[in-house]
Amino acid sequence: MSKFLELEGGYLVITLIILLVTLFVASRPMFKRGSAPKALMVVGIVLSIFIGLHYKVTTDRMAEVKEAFLEGKVIICESRMQRKVAQSVDIDKSREWVLEGDLFTSPNYSRPFHTARCLVK
């Protein structure tokens, strides 16, 4: 459950905002009575499906990245530190990178990278 909240927490907040907007709009006088609960149900189900699919795709990619790293393949991770020069970092065992849980860390680099933001090269 903590991994789900870590990966999808931002999307859950956005979903809550969308549901509040849906409630506000569907409760206006231009809509007939009883449309607000129906609208909340439909929008809630659709957003739940999207969040569930995103979580599934993300965790599958994380497993693929971890497996590839353990096999010695090069991993590409998004770097948000320097947006102008190097937008990605190549992660490889031979460059002293280690996998600690879901994070790639290195004594030669100032910050860790989460496997959810990485791809196999």
Side-chain angles (χ1 to χ4, degrees), residues 2-121:
S2 65
K3 183 185 277 191
F4 178 78
L5 291 176
E6 177 185 348
L7 295 174
E8 305 301 324
Y11 297 116
L12 293 173
V13 171
I14 292 169
T15 297
L16 180 63
I17 292 169
I18 291 171
L19 288 173
L20 289 173
V21 169
T22 302
L23 178 63
F24 178 77
V25 171
S27 64
R28 300 293 93 202
M30 62 187 151
F31 290 98
K32 63 181 176 181
R33 281 197 174 279
S35 60
K38 292 175 188 174
L40 285 174
M41 187 173 65
V42 170
V43 172
I45 289 171
V46 169
L47 292 174
S48 296
I49 290 170
F50 287 158
I51 289 174
L53 288 173
H54 183 264
Y55 179 73
K56 173 79 171 118
V57 168
T58 302
T59 53
D60 287 349
R61 187 179 65 243
M62 287 171 61
E64 178 186 347
V65 165
K66 287 180 183 181
E67 184 179 322
F69 179 76
L70 295 174
E71 291 174 359
K73 295 180 182 175
V74 177
I75 307 298
I76 301 173
C77 290
E78 175 185 26
S79 175
R80 293 184 178 175
M81 277 180 59
Q82 301 173 347
R83 289 303 244 176
K84 295 178 183 174
V85 181
Q87 292 186 351
S88 64
V89 174
D90 288 349
I91 293 178
D92 191 2
K93 277 185 175 182
S94 64
R95 296 182 187 155
E96 299 181 24
W97 285 94
V98 293
L99 181 61
E100 298 173 353
D102 289 332
L103 297 176
F104 289 114
T105 59
S106 171
N108 302 322
Y109 207 79
S110 61
R111 61 179 288 252
F113 291 95
H114 199 285
T115 55
R117 307 293 171 243
C118 300
L119 298 169
V120 178
K121 189 170 188 178

